[in-house]
């Protein structure tokens, strides 16, 4: 039996309101299999993955509710059982503090996406292949690195990169939107540009890009995105648990959905349903054998 499903829903709604977000109810025709509650953080990658998992669970006959929370609240909601699962756990580094805090209270189902990466990104046509080469081409890049929000962890790491490599390029803060706008403008004019980047991101699906080599390894190694479930889910909803456990895709597949979500008036849920419908060969690998 699910423990106090109404109370869980009320608490999730309260968490969502506290985070300034909304609780979205699934609209699928559930076949009396029950309701699965997914929490997520409002990153474009996690919006894509959580909506895809929602569409797959709905295809299998479940009703699905999604709650957008801060990263800390998202982890806590699974630990307390208010949410059934997340597919948005960046490990071993980004969410290390949360895993250390509640790891004993949740179930790690393992990697659902391998190949996440942080670094400096340039168009594939650029002659520069390494961060160590940037100073020799500083004028080509207008003496600047185009960054994102000043408080982002990626910006802190990039400041370390500037110091470690003694770069003559200034790190310019902005937002994810201004970063991709600068990238698009440079590519349209076949100019050099260097931006802070991470995978998965839809820009890799839209343009031919490359990471600059980081011989000093300031940005660190690749991370993975994990699926985390609440304790007791496997016993109470074994089929839903099996789907969550089997869910695994590639940065390229995620990039397709993220790119769809960049279109004007895009609906991430409708896009996820479309992707699931058009990729049933992939989806079948996540569904238990009937």
């Amino acid at each position: 039996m699910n423990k106090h499903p109404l109370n869980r829903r009320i608490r999730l709604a309260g968490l969502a309101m506290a985070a300034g977000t909304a609780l979205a109810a699934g609209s699928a025709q559930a076949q009396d299999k029950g309701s699965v509650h997914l929490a997520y953080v409002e990153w474009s990658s996690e919006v894509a993955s959580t909506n895809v998992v929602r569409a797959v669970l709905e295809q299998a006959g479940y009703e699905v509710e999604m709650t957008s929370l801060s990263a800390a609240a998202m982890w806590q909601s699974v630990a307390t059982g208010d949410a059934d699962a997340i597919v948005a756990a960046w490990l071993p580094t980004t969410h290390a503090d949360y895993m250390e805090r509640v790891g004993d209270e949740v179930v790690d189902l393992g990697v659902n996406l391998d190949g996440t990466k942080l670094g400096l990104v340039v168009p594939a046509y650029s002659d520069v292949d390494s961060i160590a080469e940037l100073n020799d081409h500083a004028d080509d890049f207008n003496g600047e690195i185009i960054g994102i929000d000043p408080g982002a962890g990626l910006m802190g790491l990039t400041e370390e990169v500037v110091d470690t490599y003694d770069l003559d390029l200034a790190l310019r803060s902005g937002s994810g939107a201004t970063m991709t706008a600068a990238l698009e403008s440079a590519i349209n004019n076949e100019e050099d540009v260097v931006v802070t980047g991470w995978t998965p991101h839809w820009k890799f699906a839209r343009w031919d890009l490359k990471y600059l080599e980081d011989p000093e390894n300031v940005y660190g190694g690749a991370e993975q995105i994990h699926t985390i479930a609440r304790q007791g889910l496997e016993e109470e909803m074994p089929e839903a648990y099996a789907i969550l456990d089997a869910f695994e895709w590639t940065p390229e597949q995620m990039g397709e959905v993220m790119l769809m979500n960049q279109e004007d008036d895009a609906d991430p849920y409708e896009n996820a349903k479309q992707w699931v419908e058009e990729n049933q060969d992939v989806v079948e690998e996540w569904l238990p054998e009937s």
Side-chain angles (χ1 to χ4, degrees):
M1 293 287 292
N2 284 342
K3 62 173 185 178
H4 310 300
L6 179 58
N7 288 342
R8 287 203 291 136
R9 183 178 301 186
I10 291 170
R11 287 198 298 271
L12 274 171
L15 281 169
M17 290 176 64
T21 54
L23 185 68
S27 59
Q29 298 297 317
Q31 300 166 4
D32 295 326
K33 290 188 176 181
S35 179
V36 179
H37 303 257
L38 300 176
Y40 69 104
V41 64
E42 198 73 41
W43 299 345
S44 57
S45 55
E46 310 322 317
V47 169
S49 59
T50 308
N51 275 284
V52 164
V53 170
R54 172 186 175 181
V56 173
L57 285 166
E58 288 178 345
Q59 178 178 316
Y62 291 92
E63 183 180 350
V64 181
E65 294 180 1
M66 288 174 51
T67 311
S68 173
L69 301 168
S70 69
M74 173 184 74
W75 276 85
Q76 188 63 28
S77 69
V78 181
T80 58
D82 290 335
D84 291 309
I86 60 175
V87 293
W90 285 59
L91 296 168
T93 304
T94 302
H95 287 167
D97 288 347
Y98 308 130
M99 186 57 142
E100 183 176 349
R101 206 170 301 159
V102 302
D104 293 339
E105 304 167 48
V106 300
V107 182
D108 185 355
L109 303 187
V111 176
N112 67 55
L113 185 141
D114 197 7
T116 64
K117 186 176 175 67
L118 302 175
L120 294 182
V121 173
V122 298
Y125 56 70
S126 175
D127 291 333
V128 176
D129 294 312
S130 171
I131 297 173
E133 300 172 7
L134 280 173
N135 278 347
D136 293 335
H137 300 266
D139 290 343
D140 296 335
F141 294 96
N142 294 319
E144 62 183 9
I145 299 167
I146 309 299
I148 54 172
D149 312 78
L154 176 58
M155 291 292 280
L157 280 173
T158 305
E159 289 171 359
E160 290 184 33
V161 165
V162 171
D163 291 340
T164 300
Y165 289 90
D166 195 21
L167 294 181
D168 296 328
L169 292 82
L171 176 59
R172 194 177 92 190
S173 62
S175 67
T178 58
M179 178 271 290
T180 53
L183 185 60
E184 180 174 29
S185 176
I187 290 174
N188 288 342
N189 293 293
E190 296 186 10
E191 297 172 347
D192 275 318
V193 65
V194 56
V195 303
T196 54
W198 63 95
T199 301
H201 191 285
W202 59 265
K203 63 179 177 281
F204 292 96
R206 177 168 290 179
W207 300 300
D208 191 9
L209 306 171
K210 66 182 179 181
Y211 280 97
L212 294 181
E213 296 172 9
D214 177 18
E216 299 294 333
N217 199 34
V218 179
Y219 285 112
E223 287 195 292
Q224 295 84 34
I225 305 177
H226 288 228
T227 300
I228 305 292
R230 67 171 174 85
Q231 293 181 353
L233 182 64
E234 183 176 14
E235 294 77 19
E236 296 164 20
M237 306 182 81
E239 184 182 352
Y241 181 94
I243 291 170
L244 289 163
D245 194 22
F247 171 61
E248 184 175 5
W249 61 346
T250 67
E252 291 74 24
Q253 290 166 334
M254 179 187 273
E256 293 172 9
V257 181
M258 293 169 71
L259 186 58
M260 293 166 69
N261 291 344
Q262 290 302 307
E263 299 301 322
D264 292 337
D265 300 321
D267 183 330
Y269 173 52
E270 294 299 326
N271 288 339
K273 289 198 295 184
Q274 178 184 333
W275 189 91
V276 165
E277 183 178 337
E278 294 173 353
N279 292 271
Q280 281 293 303
D281 56 330
V282 177
V283 172
E284 287 297 328
E285 297 178 4
W286 306 335
L287 297 172
E289 294 183 7
S290 53

